[in-house]
Amino acid sequence: SILGERFSLSTEATFVAGSNVANLYYASARLVRLLQLMDHAPAPTIFVDADLVIGASLDPLFARLKDADVALCRMPGRVTLHSQFNASVIGINPTAEGLRFLRGVAGFVAKLLADGSAAWCLDQTALLCTLVNSRRQGVPARVIATGRSIYDGTLKCALWPQKMPEDSPYYKDWQQA
């Protein structure tokens, strides 16, 4: 039950419906809106996509986020750069480094949407590029993995495996994700 959890839902009217960037906008603009939310009401935040069902308390992830700036959902076994992280679950602590990371992600998304060079998986690419860029600049955020518990029923989505088969070559990575 999420009755005891704090959560919110927002909507927005846009002028991109039917345009060439509409699907990219709707898939990625949530990261810009997350920055606006954090600027307005800074608090440790676990941001999940609307198509996820919360099946258990997020308290363990909030507890782990206390010692980090950012929590990202790794996708073990993925080869392509844009799919190293799943953008469906993101944790942000309102530390200077956490907000700097989120500003980088939001800026990456906003720039590519504005100049028309955005491509599918923009949200996931923005997470990876911002992480790499922050490390190159010498101001890396303390990043943790959201952890495998999200695959064990805390968050449920039809597209995610609820259990990784033990004979998978990625089982060991998945356990540590």
Side-chain angles (χ1 to χ4, degrees), residues 130-141 143:
T130 301
L131 182 62
V132 169
N133 190 46
S134 68
R135 289 183 177 174
R136 284 185 177 167
Q137 291 178 348
V139 288
V143 179

Side-chain angles (χ1 to χ4, degrees), residues 68-81:
D69 303 307
V70 178
L72 297 175
C73 181
R74 285 192 56 237
M75 299 194 342
R78 300 297 178 103
V79 177
T80 56
L81 286 177

Side-chain angles (χ1 to χ4, degrees), residues 17-35:
S19 74
N20 291 339
V21 297
N23 61 341
L24 298 171
Y25 177 84
Y26 292 123
S28 302
R30 68 192 196 283
L31 298 172
V32 176
R33 300 297 176 238
L34 177 57
L35 174 61

